[in-house]
Amino acid sequence: MVRGPTDLLTTIPYVLGYHPQDSVVVVFVAGDGRLTCGLSIGQQAPDEFIIAESSTAAARADAHLACVVGYGPLSDRERIAGISDALNMAVTVAACLLVNDGRYYCLNDGCPCTPEHGAVLDFSSSVIAAEMTLRGRVALPSRDGFASFVEPDPDAQARTAAALSRVPQRLPDAVAVVHTCLDIASAGEQLSDEQAARLAMALSDNDGRSAAWRATTGESWQHDLWLDLARRVPERYAAAPANLAAWNAWRRSEPALAWAALSKAVQGEPDNTMSFLIGLVLTSGIDPATLPWPLRDGTDLEGLLP
């Protein structure tokens, strides 16, 4: 739960996964005070588009409150305040702030929480950053940094390819391989090249892939496992672990990383069903905490979306 502007502005980079720049950020607050989701739209977008997207996302998230934060020049004050006023027709806007050059300015009419020249944004005065770090959350300097999480490791790919040549093309029990590898990863160990190859082959099997999907719940060690595997396997095997990395990231409320991983999956296998379903979830604006979990065989994921 955030308390005051400093906590809010410290939390936003962890909600998005990166420190926003030159953008309008809208975050939503649930009835219990949790930040449930957020969206970041570039400054160049028309106001009408920002208001429409934010209003739709607020409805999908069943938001109790919203906070609007502009990251840009002081000349944007009136624009950000206007966006906030318009969004307030769809959901109550609890805070409207502008961040510029290490200071923040409250744009709520008559609010005395910041002086006219703004208040210094001191992240060290909030415990949020430490709490997020303990949870394994990161906030990259910019959105562009997420591409590095899924960049292939050529040396590791070569070793995994060599190991794959020794693995049967059809494993006798793909589900058992998946669970064995999950047990190894949950103990904090990195998979060997042979284990990574067997897991990659298991994920090429429908039953193995379904087992991994149902077992992926947002744990930190799963974040490490699926991103590691997506980087290590030859590109023709990368779609499944990249999808699972995207699913895990969404479960952890890390949308920017989820989109980066999903993009890698689609590049490797454009028409795969798992990417389509994950894409539906990412664009739905629903809170991960509201999804029935764990997923069971036969779950109609599309039917769960608003």
Side-chain angles (χ1 to χ4, degrees):
M1 182 178 296
V2 299
R3 297 176 177 82
T6 299
D7 274 2
L8 172 64
L9 296 173
T10 304
T11 303
I12 282 176
Y14 293 97
V15 172
L16 298 177
Y18 61 94
H19 289 271
Q21 301 173 8
D22 299 324
S23 58
V24 179
V25 173
V26 182
V27 292
F28 305 112
V29 184
D32 61 3
R34 291 180 303 110
L35 293 184
T36 58
C37 60
L39 56 88
S40 176
I41 302 176
Q43 271 186 334
Q44 70 278 10
D47 293 2
E48 295 77 8
F49 175 80
I50 296 173
I51 294 163
E53 289 294 302
S54 300
S55 299
T56 300
R60 286 173 171 170
D62 193 21
H64 180 65
L65 299 170
C67 300
V68 177
V69 183
Y71 291 82
L74 295 181
S75 57
D76 274 357
R77 295 176 74 135
E78 290 188 9
R79 181 192 181 201
I80 300 302
I83 291 172
S84 173
D85 289 343
L87 180 59
N88 198 60
M89 302 293 290
V91 58
T92 300
V93 176
C96 179
L97 303 169
L98 177 66
V99 178
N100 173 265
D101 195 25
R103 306 183 78 88
Y104 67 90
Y105 303 78
C106 179
L107 306 185
N108 291 347
D109 287 340
C111 181
C113 72
T114 58
E116 184 179 350
H117 61 277
V120 174
L121 181 53
D122 181 11
F123 291 122
S124 66
S125 65
S126 172
V127 299
I128 298 293
E131 291 176 354
M132 291 295 183
T133 301
L134 288 174
R135 296 179 193 175
R137 302 291 294 273
V138 297
L140 299 183
S142 73
R143 187 169 191 152
D144 295 339
F146 282 98
S148 64
F149 278 93
V150 289
E151 286 180 355
D153 181 337
D155 291 339
Q157 285 181 319
R159 296 194 304 271
T160 306
L164 276 163
S165 68
R166 301 187 291 271
V167 175
Q169 290 297 302
R170 185 166 181 80
L171 298 171
D173 193 343
V175 173
V177 171
V178 167
H179 286 300
T180 296
C181 290
L182 290 174
D183 288 342
I184 293 169
S186 67
E189 299 179 28
Q190 185 182 41
L191 300 183
S192 67
D193 294 333
E194 184 72 25
Q195 290 163 343
R198 290 181 65 81
L199 181 55
M201 191 62 71
L203 293 177
S204 67
D205 178 272
N206 285 334
D207 290 340
R209 196 161 52 249
S210 295
W213 169 284
R214 293 192 298 272
T216 298
T217 57
E219 299 292 332
S220 295
W221 62 267
Q222 295 169 352
H223 166 278
D224 297 336
L225 169 64
W226 298 128
L227 287 175
D228 180 57
L229 192 66
R231 291 190 295 261
R232 292 172 65 185
V233 297
E235 291 302 306
R236 67 182 183 276
Y237 293 98
N243 273 326
L244 291 165
W247 183 244
N248 175 268
W250 178 78
R251 294 290 302 178
R252 291 164 57 83
S253 298
E254 297 179 329
L257 177 56
W259 279 115
L262 186 64
S263 296
K264 180 178 179 67
V266 172
Q267 289 170 5
E269 194 175 331
D271 298 323
N272 74 89
T273 301
M274 187 181 288
S275 288
F276 172 74
L277 291 174
I278 295 171
L280 283 178
V281 172
L282 290 178
T283 56
S284 71
I286 61 176
D287 180 1
T290 67
L291 192 67
W293 203 257
L295 294 178
R296 304 296 184 187
D297 288 327
T299 297
D300 177 12
L301 187 56
E302 291 185 68
L304 297 173
L305 304 179

